[in-house]
Amino acid sequence: MSEKILYGYTGLFDSPDSITHAAEKAASKGYKKFDVHTPYPLHGMNKAMKLPTSKLGYVSLVVGLSSALAAVLAMFWISAKDYPIVIGGKPLFSFPAYVPVIFEVTVLSASIATVLTMLLIFFKLPNNGHPLHGTEYMKNVAVDKYGILIQAEDEKFNEADVKKFLEECGAVNISPVYFDEEEINHKHKILEPKFIGFLLLTALFTSGISYLTLNKLLYLPPFDWMMEQEKLNPQSTSTIFADGFGMRKPVEGTVARGYLPYAFKGQPEAAGENLVNPLPVSKSVLELGQKKFDVYCSPCHGYHGEGESRLRGQFPNPPSLHSEKVRTWSDGRIFHVITDGQNIMPSYSTQLTAEEKWAAVHYIRVLQRALNAKESDLQ
Amino acid sequence: MSVVDYTKELSVIEGKPPLRSLDDLISKPLETKPDKKFYIALSITLSMLGLFVIGLGLTFWYGIGMWGNNNPVGWAFDIVNFVFWVGIGHAGTLISAILFLFRQKWRTGIARFAEGMTIFAVMTAMLFPLIHVGRPWLDGWLLPYPNQHGIWTNFTSPLLWDVFAVSTYFTVSLIFWYVGLIPDFAVLRERTSGKVKKLTYSIFSLGWRFSNRHWNHYEMVYLILAGFATPLVLSVHTIVSFDFAVSIMPGWHTTIFPPYFVAGAVFSGFAMVQNVLLIIRKIFNYEHIITVDTLDKMNKIMLVTGSMVGYAYAMEFFIAWYSGVEAEQFTFVNRAFGPYAWAYWIMVSCNVISPQLFWIKKIRRSVPVMFVIAVFVNVGMWFERFVIVVSSLSRDYLPSSWAYYKPTYVDFMILIGSFGFFFTFILLFTKALPVVSLAEVKAVVDGAQPSHKDH
C-alpha cells in the first residue's frame, strides 16, 4: 500500500468571530494556500483573508457591451440590408425601436457569461472529486461550523507548525485531509462497453424519433399544414348538389373577365382583317408575351419559334413561325390561330386571356424580327 | 406596550434558533414522505392540469375557433392570462433583486420561494402567446434565425420585443434561482445518505465547497445579477405594456401604461406570493422564519403599489378628458358604464378599495384578513387586464363592428388549467427543493455575523 498523499490540515471553530481571527492570523503568518469554509458568506472575511475584490464585473462589462453592439449590427444588417421592408413608414434602420431588444440581449448574454465564467473558470466546477468531499469537516462547515484549511502545497507548510498554529488559534477537531486514492487513479474509460452501449442507444433513439417526426408525425393532422380541410375539392363528390359534383359550372350567361366570346370562330380571314392588336409595344408587354410564349407555345414551336419541338416526335412538329406567310400575316390572323386553333394545333382560349394572347403575338413579332433583321436595326 | 428601539435593527428570524435546527426544519419536507394533505392538494391541482390539457388539446385539434375570440375582440382570455401571469412573476425578482440592492434583510425568508414562483408564473405566462398563435408547433418562427423562407422577424414590433423580454426574463430568473440554490444543494448533499439523492444533489451542487474564496466571487455575482435583474424586471412589464401602448387603440394608446403596468405587476405578484406563503408557512411551521414582520412589510408594499394602480386608473380618466380626444373619452365612460361595467367595478373594488385597509396596523398583521385581501387583489388584477383588453377591443373606433365578447367553455378550461399548471409546479417545488434559502437565512440569524468588537 502506498503512502497517502496529504492535501492539507483542517480545523473547526464555533463562532464567526473566532474564524475571522484565525483567518487574519493565517494571512499575516504568510500562508497563501489556505481557505476558510463557512456555511454562508461572512462579512469582513475578504479583508481578513486579504482577498482582492472579485474581477467578475469586468466579464459582465465586456460581454454586455459587445453583445449590445452585436445586437445593433445584427438588426441593422437584417432590417436595412438583407430584408429591407418599410414598416409603419419608419426608416429601415430605426434605432429607437431596437432599444428594447438591445437591452434584453445585453442582460441575457452578460448574465449567462458572468455566471458561467464564475462557475467554470473561476471555481473550476463541477468538481465532485475534490479531496474535501466526503470528509467530516465538509459535513460540519455545511451546517453550523466555521472551518479553516491550510494546504500542503503552501510554501510555508510544515505539518507540526500548522498543527500548532491551529491549536493556538483555538481550533477543534484538527485533522489531516488526504487525496482520495481512487479519485487520483481514476481514468475515464471511453471504450467501456456500457458507455458505448449508451451512445448506441441514444443514437438509435434520437434517429428513430427524428424519422418518425419528420416523416410521419408532420403529415398527421393537425400538423399537416391544413392539408385536410372540410371544404369541397375540385374532384371530390358532394352531397350538397343534386348532380353529386363538387365542381360547379359558372352561372348561365356569365362571362369571366378577359374571356369574352370569340366573334370570328372559323373565320380566319375575317379575323385577320378586323382584329387589331390593342396593346402597345412596351417592355412589360413583351415580357408578358415572352413568359406566356415560353410556357404555352415553346414546347411545340421551340423557344425561337423555328419549330424545334421538345416533344421528340410524340406530336407532329409545327412549321416555323418565321415563314414568309406568317411574317406577312396581320396580328389578328395570328391571334385567330391561338384562339381558334388550326388543324391539329389546339385552341389556347382556356389557358390565355385576350391580353396575354395579344402580348404573345407581339413577342412572335420580336422573334421574327430577330431572324430577319433589317439593315436599319443595326444602327 | 413595548417600546421599540429604533437604533437596533429588528431581527429577521425570530428567537435566534440554532443553525442546525434551521437546516432540519427547512429540509424536512424533502426528507419525509408527503402526508395526506399533500396528496389531496396535488390531486386537486392535477385535475385542474387535466382540464388544461383537454382545453389545449381541443384548441390544437380544432383551432382557436374554439375560443370566444372573434372580430373585433381578437385578443381575449389568452392575452389577459398572459399579462396576469407575467405580472405574478414580477414579485420574485423584485424581492430577490431590488430588495437585495436596497439591503432589505427581511427578504431572505421569502426570496427563494418568490423566485421559484416567478419561474413557474413566467412558464405559465409563456404558454399563452405560444398557444395563441394557433399552431404552436411553429413557434420557432418567433425567433430571428436564417431560414428557408428567406424572411426575418420585424424588430420594430412590440410583440417581438415581448419574445425577447419574456425569454430573457425567464432565463435570467432561472440562472438567479439556480445560483442561489447551489450552496443549498451542497447542504443537502452533506445531509443525505440515500445513494440516488446523494448523486443528484452532488450533480446539482457542482461540488460546491463553501469556500470563502468562492463566496467572495459568489457575492459579487449575486450583486451583478441583482443589478441586471432590477432593470430587467422593470423592462419586462414595460414591454408587455408596449403591446398595448404602441397601438392606436383608444384606451391603450397612453404613456402611463409602462409605470402603471409595472406597479400592477408588483401588486399582483406580492398578493400571490403572500397567498401561497401563508399556506406554506402554516403547513411547514415556518412561522419564525417567515415572520409577521415580514408579512407586514409585504402588505405595505401592496398598499403602496395598490395606491399607485388606483392613481393610474384616475389619471387615465383625467387624461381622457384633458386630451379632448372623443374616442378616448368614450372608451373610459364605456369602461365604467358600458356593457363591461361589471368587470370594471369588480376591478376597482378589489384593487383600489380593498388594499386601503392595509393602512390599519391590526389588519396588516392579521393573517386571515390579509389572506382574504390578497385573494381580492389577485381577482382584481385579473379583471384589470380583462377590462383593458376586452372593453377597448369590443368597442373601438368603428361602431358598426362593435360586439360583445363572451368566453367559451374552452376559455375557462384553459384559465382554470393554468392555475393547475402553476400550482402543480409549486407543490412539487415544496417537496423537491428547500423553499427557504438555507445559506441566506443562516446569514441573517442574530449573531451569525462577526461582531467586529476589536476593530
Side-chain angles (χ1 to χ4, degrees):
Chain A
M1 221 185 90
S2 61
E3 185 81 352
K4 280 190 184 170
I5 307 168
L6 186 67
Y7 174 70
Y9 260 87
T10 60
L12 290 173
F13 295 84
D14 275 329
S15 78
D17 282 327
S18 49
I19 186 73
T20 317
H21 270 293
E24 268 165 8
K25 272 193 203 154
S28 54
K29 254 198 128 182
Y31 288 120
K32 293 259 151 37
K33 305 229 151 136
F34 75 102
D35 204 344
V36 171
H37 298 93
T38 53
Y40 51 86
L42 285 182
H43 295 333
M45 186 51 86
N46 307 349
K47 234 173 90 193
M49 287 173 73
K50 300 213 167 72
L51 297 179
T53 316
S54 169
K55 298 228 162 28
L56 275 164
Y58 293 105
V59 177
S60 315
L61 185 73
V62 171
V63 175
L65 286 183
S66 41
S67 49
L69 188 68
V72 180
L73 290 179
M75 283 189 280
F76 164 71
W77 180 77
I78 288 172
S79 321
K81 293 280 158 218
D82 192 46
Y83 191 58
I85 285 188
V86 178
I87 294 156
K90 306 277 192 321
L92 288 176
F93 179 74
S94 34
F95 185 77
Y98 298 163
V99 170
V101 173
I102 296 172
F103 173 75
E104 303 298 335
V105 170
T106 309
V107 167
L108 182 66
S109 37
S111 330
I112 294 179
T114 313
V115 169
L116 285 186
T117 313
M118 170 180 84
L119 292 177
L120 304 180
I121 300 176
F122 279 49
F123 297 175
K124 306 225 166 32
L125 296 181
N127 179 2
N128 277 305
H130 195 273
L132 280 180
H133 285 310
T135 57
E136 210 45 44
Y137 173 76
M138 184 97 282
K139 275 211 163 65
N140 280 309
V141 296
V143 186
D144 55 356
K145 292 279 189 289
Y146 311 90
I148 189 164
L149 157 85
I150 297 175
Q151 271 174 255
E153 266 179 33
D154 194 282
E155 280 170 15
K156 294 211 165 152
F157 186 86
N158 172 315
E159 240 183 293
D161 279 358
V162 167
K163 257 195 211 163
K164 215 175 114 214
F165 166 73
L166 289 175
E167 268 162 26
E168 273 171 10
C169 293
V172 289
N173 288 6
I174 301 170
S175 52
V177 174
Y178 297 99
F179 279 102
D180 192 340
E181 215 108 334
E182 256 178 64
E183 212 61 70
I184 293 181
N185 299 329
H186 185 78
K187 283 195 198 76
H188 294 287
K189 293 185 214 102
I190 294 185
L191 288 180
E192 227 173 309
K194 254 195 212 161
F195 182 65
I196 294 194
F198 171 74
L199 279 188
L200 276 180
L201 272 182
T202 331
L204 257 176
F205 183 74
T206 42
S207 49
I209 292 284
S210 338
Y211 175 83
L212 285 179
T213 331
L214 294 177
N215 293 297
K216 299 278 174 257
L217 189 67
L218 275 182
Y219 294 91
L220 292 177
F223 307 109
D224 60 357
W225 310 97
M226 297 175 83
M227 226 94 90
E228 297 290 328
Q229 294 181 28
E230 298 206 11
K231 66 171 190 195
L232 282 179
N233 288 320
Q235 306 298 336
S236 57
T237 53
S238 148
T239 51
I240 302 173
F241 303 110
D243 59 5
F245 284 114
M247 234 174 341
R248 310 311 302 161
K249 283 195 183 124
V251 177
E252 200 93 26
T254 50
V255 176
R257 272 171 184 275
Y259 291 97
L260 267 181
Y262 189 49
F264 301 100
K265 230 174 163 39
Q267 301 165 275
E269 296 318 319
E273 272 160 36
N274 293 312
L275 289 175
V276 182
N277 196 336
L279 297 184
V281 182
S282 70
K283 196 172 173 213
S284 63
V285 166
L286 289 179
E287 268 166 1
L288 175 70
Q290 176 180 26
K291 202 168 149 193
K292 296 298 161 189
F293 184 90
D294 286 353
V295 171
Y296 293 103
C297 321
S298 76
C300 301
H301 287 279
Y303 286 114
H304 304 296
E306 293 177 302
E308 67 276 26
S309 161
R310 291 198 298 279
L311 298 179
R312 296 170 178 266
Q314 294 173 51
F315 192 84
N317 274 14
S320 164
L321 297 180
H322 299 283
S323 64
E324 188 68 36
K325 181 178 90 185
V326 181
R327 268 192 288 146
T328 51
W329 270 359
S330 71
D331 282 1
R333 184 66 181 76
I334 302 181
F335 182 86
H336 178 86
V337 177
I338 309 175
T339 312
D340 215 17
Q342 176 179 305
N343 299 328
I344 57 168
M345 170 171 159
S347 154
Y348 277 81
S349 271
T350 47
Q351 286 97 323
L352 297 170
T353 64
E355 194 192 335
E356 287 162 350
K357 287 185 235 170
W358 285 120
V361 172
H362 273 321
Y363 183 66
I364 291 174
R365 293 293 185 220
V366 171
L367 293 176
Q368 290 173 341
R369 185 70 167 272
L371 270 196
N372 295 281
K374 291 183 195 140
E375 202 68 44
S376 59
D377 291 343
L378 292 173
Q379 285 160 5
Chain B
M1 266 225 16
S2 62
V3 182
V4 186
D5 178 5
Y6 287 107
T7 56
K8 257 204 199 150
E9 248 185 292
L10 284 175
S11 359
V12 182
I13 309 296
E14 272 169 18
K16 200 177 174 184
L19 300 183
R20 191 173 287 276
S21 78
L22 286 173
D23 275 0
D24 290 341
L25 184 69
I26 296 172
S27 43
K28 195 173 147 212
L30 317 185
E31 288 162 358
T32 50
K33 277 237 154 63
D35 57 1
K36 214 166 163 190
K37 269 187 281 177
F38 179 81
Y39 283 117
I40 294 176
L42 193 65
S43 60
I44 296 175
T45 61
L46 279 180
S47 342
M48 284 158 74
L49 187 64
L51 274 185
F52 198 44
V53 173
I54 299 172
L56 291 184
L58 285 170
T59 306
F60 292 170
W61 189 263
Y62 295 109
I64 50 174
M66 294 302 284
W67 300 349
N69 303 25
N70 208 337
N71 278 339
V73 186
W75 278 3
F77 266 37
D78 41 3
I79 302 300
V80 173
N81 294 342
F82 165 65
V83 181
F84 175 75
W85 283 112
V86 172
I88 300 281
H90 275 55
T93 317
L94 185 99
I95 291 169
S96 53
I98 301 186
L99 297 186
F100 176 80
L101 292 184
F102 284 116
R103 300 277 181 253
Q104 295 294 309
K105 282 192 200 154
W106 58 272
R107 64 178 268 288
T108 45
I110 55 174
R112 163 71 46 74
F113 190 78
E115 284 167 30
M117 259 189 52
T118 291
I119 290 170
F120 305 137
V122 175
M123 276 162 59
T124 319
M126 282 200 290
L127 287 177
F128 284 98
L130 295 186
I131 60 174
H132 177 91
V133 301
R135 293 192 217 168
W137 51 94
L138 300 179
D139 282 332
W141 290 358
L142 293 171
L143 300 172
Y145 67 100
N147 53 55
Q148 75 271 40
H149 316 288
I151 56 179
W152 287 99
T153 49
N154 171 13
F155 289 103
T156 58
S157 159
L159 300 182
L160 182 95
W161 305 343
D162 244 359
V163 173
F164 276 84
V166 177
S167 51
T168 301
Y169 187 48
F170 177 70
T171 320
V172 173
S173 308
L174 195 67
I175 293 175
F176 209 7
W177 196 49
Y178 179 63
V179 168
L181 271 167
I182 293 175
D184 286 7
F185 277 125
V187 174
L188 295 170
R189 176 193 70 204
E190 297 305 323
R191 285 178 69 87
T192 181
S193 46
K195 210 174 157 197
V196 179
K197 269 194 172 174
K198 182 128 195 153
L199 182 69
T200 335
Y201 290 141
S202 296
I203 291 174
F204 283 107
S205 72
L206 303 174
W208 178 260
R209 299 193 293 275
F210 302 97
S211 153
N212 268 276
R213 289 182 190 276
H214 289 181
W215 281 125
N216 182 24
H217 294 300
Y218 180 92
E219 289 213 288
M220 173 59 86
V221 162
Y222 216 78
L223 185 69
I224 292 173
L225 282 184
F228 277 134
T230 301
L232 180 64
V233 71
L234 300 182
S235 86
V236 173
H237 229 57
T238 299
I239 290 178
V240 168
S241 80
F242 283 165
D243 290 348
F244 302 97
V246 171
S247 79
I248 53 165
M249 214 33 162
W252 287 6
H253 189 58
T254 54
T255 45
I256 202 176
F257 258 36
Y260 153 39
F261 266 53
V262 171
V266 173
F267 185 42
S268 68
F270 264 76
M272 186 61 99
V273 172
Q274 195 238 54
N275 265 183
V276 184
L277 269 182
L278 288 179
I279 300 170
I280 298 285
R281 174 177 185 267
K282 183 98 206 127
I283 297 180
F284 297 130
N285 303 322
Y286 291 164
E287 272 96 347
H288 62 302
I289 300 177
I290 304 164
T291 60
V292 173
D293 284 329
T294 304
L295 295 171
D296 182 11
K297 289 190 175 106
M298 293 182 68
N299 293 340
K300 281 181 188 163
I301 291 190
M302 269 192 256
L303 174 58
V304 172
T305 48
S307 307
M308 281 157 79
V309 167
Y311 168 80
Y313 295 161
M315 196 40 99
E316 280 187 314
F317 269 86
F318 170 74
I319 291 291
W321 165 75
Y322 186 66
S323 68
V325 179
E326 218 179 312
E328 198 72 22
Q329 288 168 357
F330 167 78
T331 302
F332 284 97
V333 173
N334 179 51
R335 271 190 195 169
F337 305 108
Y340 288 106
W342 56 272
Y344 184 82
W345 293 109
I346 292 179
M347 162 185 111
V348 169
S349 40
C350 289
N351 285 354
V352 185
I353 300 170
S354 72
Q356 296 306 319
L357 292 172
F358 281 143
W359 285 105
I360 304 161
K361 188 166 182 181
K362 262 225 173 89
I363 290 186
R364 268 199 326 262
R365 302 182 73 89
S366 151
V367 171
V369 179
M370 68 169 117
F371 185 84
V372 173
I373 292 181
V375 170
F376 275 133
V377 170
N378 276 319
V379 172
M381 284 309 292
W382 190 87
F383 273 99
E384 178 197 295
R385 278 66 175 248
F386 181 84
V387 166
I388 292 173
V389 172
V390 174
S391 81
S392 274
L393 283 175
S394 71
R395 292 194 161 184
D396 58 2
Y397 288 110
L398 200 63
S400 64
S401 61
W402 288 359
Y404 189 78
Y405 162 80
K406 266 198 225 118
T408 64
Y409 70 98
V410 179
D411 281 314
F412 282 109
M413 278 164 103
I414 294 178
L415 170 63
I416 297 169
S418 70
F419 280 87
F421 183 81
F422 176 74
F423 282 111
T424 306
F425 274 107
I426 293 275
L427 282 177
L428 296 181
F429 167 45
T430 61
K431 270 290 164 194
L433 297 170
V435 292
V436 175
S437 167
L438 295 166
E440 282 190 26
V441 162
K442 283 183 199 164
V444 294
V445 172
D446 290 340
Q449 292 298 346
S451 51
H452 304 294
K453 285 190 284 265
D454 44 350
H455 290 289

